[in-house]
């Protein structure tokens, strides 16, 4: 998979050089490039924003640098069926584990990371003529820009690419994969600061352990995230 991110703060994406995703890149399972939107400006101040038509607070991102950046990444014309352009936005669909699974099968993703009050809407309209477009939010809160949101999504998507995670089983059992939160886990020692591991887990009875874990998943989900159970 190839992922590009367009941003006025490409240095944010250095976080992706670390750990898991660094390994995915080293193994050539994932190619990642961050691009500075200001490289697509032509004035002395490398301007990327302007005031909104109709008035209102704050500044908007101008369309011209975005158009040039997208054309640079996609070529001057044609529709790219194998590419998804994601505009990070608190006004988008909410990113879920299911979204990550969908996107893990895409050949190329381009993240367009807005700042200020957002990007001129015509950039989204133009992008729709060049590739598949999604507006995606990572949650119901407002960040200063889309970079952190894009990093969150890249991490969630990239770890689902086959070969990135050493132990594929850990992907099957984790929170959200089956619509429930993960059960609590314990490691050695069996007793620590007066706190004991639940006895069933040391019993060797696999059926009893499986039942205990399922019950714990349901109990935890009911308690913390009843919305996941439709309650
Ligand atoms: N930009 C600002 N807030 C955001 C959010 N919650 N998700 C994605 N992009 C954003």
């Amino acid at each position: 998979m190839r992922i590009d991110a367009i941003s006025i703060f490409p240095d944010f994406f250095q976080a992706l050089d670390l750990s898991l995703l660094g390994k995915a890149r080293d193994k050539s399972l994932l190619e990642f490039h961050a691009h500075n939107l200001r490289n697509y400006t032509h004035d002395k101040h490398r301007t990327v924003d302007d005031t909104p038509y109709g008035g209102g607070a704050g500044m908007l991102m101008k369309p011209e640098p975005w158009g040039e950046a997208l054309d640079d990444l996609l070529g001057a014309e044609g529709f790219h069926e194998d590419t998804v352009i994601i505009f990070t936005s608190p006004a988008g669909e909410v990113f879920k584990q299911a979204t990550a699974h969908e996107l893990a099968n895409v050949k190329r993703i381009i993240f367009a990371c807005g700042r200020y009050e957002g990007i001129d809407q015509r950039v989204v309209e133009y992008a729709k003529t060049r590739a598949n477009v999604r507006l995606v939010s990572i949650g119901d809160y407002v960040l200063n820009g889309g970079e952190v949101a894009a990093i969150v999504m890249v991490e969630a998507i990239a770890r689902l690419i086959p070969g990135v995670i050493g132990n594929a089983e850990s992907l099957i059992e984790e929170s959200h994969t089956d619509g429930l939160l993960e059960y609590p886990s314990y490691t050695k020692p069996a007793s620590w600061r007066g706190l004991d591991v639940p006895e069933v887990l040391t019993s060797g009875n696999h059926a009893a352990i499986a039942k205990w874990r399922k019950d714990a998943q349901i109990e935890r989900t009911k308690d913390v995230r009843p919305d996941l159970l439709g309650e």
Side-chain angles (χ1 to χ4, degrees):
M1 178 188 295
R2 174 173 167 147
I3 301 181
D4 294 275
I6 308 168
S7 154
I8 57 168
F9 294 122
D11 288 351
F12 263 102
F13 295 95
Q14 283 174 10
L16 294 176
D17 292 339
L18 300 166
S19 84
L20 184 86
L21 298 183
K23 278 189 206 125
R25 291 169 74 179
D26 294 345
K27 285 198 245 170
S28 301
L29 297 169
L30 173 66
E31 193 183 336
F32 179 85
H33 302 276
H35 309 269
N36 190 339
L37 182 70
R38 291 197 199 274
N39 291 345
Y40 301 96
T41 60
H42 302 287
D43 64 311
K44 194 170 123 206
H45 299 291
R46 309 183 87 198
T47 310
V48 293
D49 60 335
D50 210 333
T51 52
Y53 277 117
M59 301 289 270
L60 269 185
M61 295 189 107
K62 296 160 60 63
E64 302 97 315
W66 283 106
E68 287 197 26
L70 289 173
D71 288 351
D72 188 30
L73 294 184
L74 292 170
E77 53 195 75
F79 186 84
H80 295 254
E81 191 55 54
D82 59 1
T83 301
V84 177
I85 302 173
I86 296 181
F87 287 88
T88 55
S89 166
E93 57 171 310
V94 176
F95 185 81
K96 300 272 176 68
Q97 188 64 15
T99 324
H101 278 283
E102 282 164 35
L103 292 168
N105 292 312
V106 168
K107 201 157 161 222
R108 187 170 187 196
I109 301 173
I110 298 174
F111 284 95
C113 303
R115 282 255 147 192
Y116 310 111
E117 298 305 311
I119 306 174
D120 186 303
Q121 182 61 27
R122 290 168 294 182
V123 177
V124 177
E125 300 312 320
Y126 174 69
K128 284 181 185 169
T129 70
R130 304 303 317 279
N132 302 293
V133 168
R134 292 174 82 152
L135 253 69
V136 187
S137 165
I138 60 162
D140 292 340
Y141 40 81
V142 179
L143 304 166
N144 281 337
E147 289 76 10
V148 170
I151 290 170
V152 166
M153 290 188 251
V154 170
E155 178 150 333
I157 294 163
R159 61 194 294 283
L160 299 178
I161 299 171
V164 170
I165 293 250
N167 178 3
E169 284 221 338
S170 65
L171 294 179
I172 296 168
E173 292 212 343
E174 64 195 6
S175 291
H176 299 296
T177 297
D178 59 2
L180 294 171
L181 302 182
E182 201 174 2
Y183 49 78
S185 299
Y186 303 84
T187 184
K188 295 177 197 68
S191 187
W192 176 74
R193 297 194 178 187
L195 300 166
D196 294 339
V197 169
E199 219 176 293
V200 61
L201 298 180
T202 57
S203 69
N205 181 339
H206 296 296
I209 292 170
K211 181 175 183 317
W212 182 88
R213 286 181 168 165
K214 189 56 148 196
D215 290 348
Q217 278 192 284
I218 294 167
E219 193 182 329
R220 185 183 252 186
T221 309
K222 259 191 192 153
D223 193 27
V224 186
R225 292 291 306 277
D227 56 301
L228 295 177
L229 299 167
E231 287 174 6

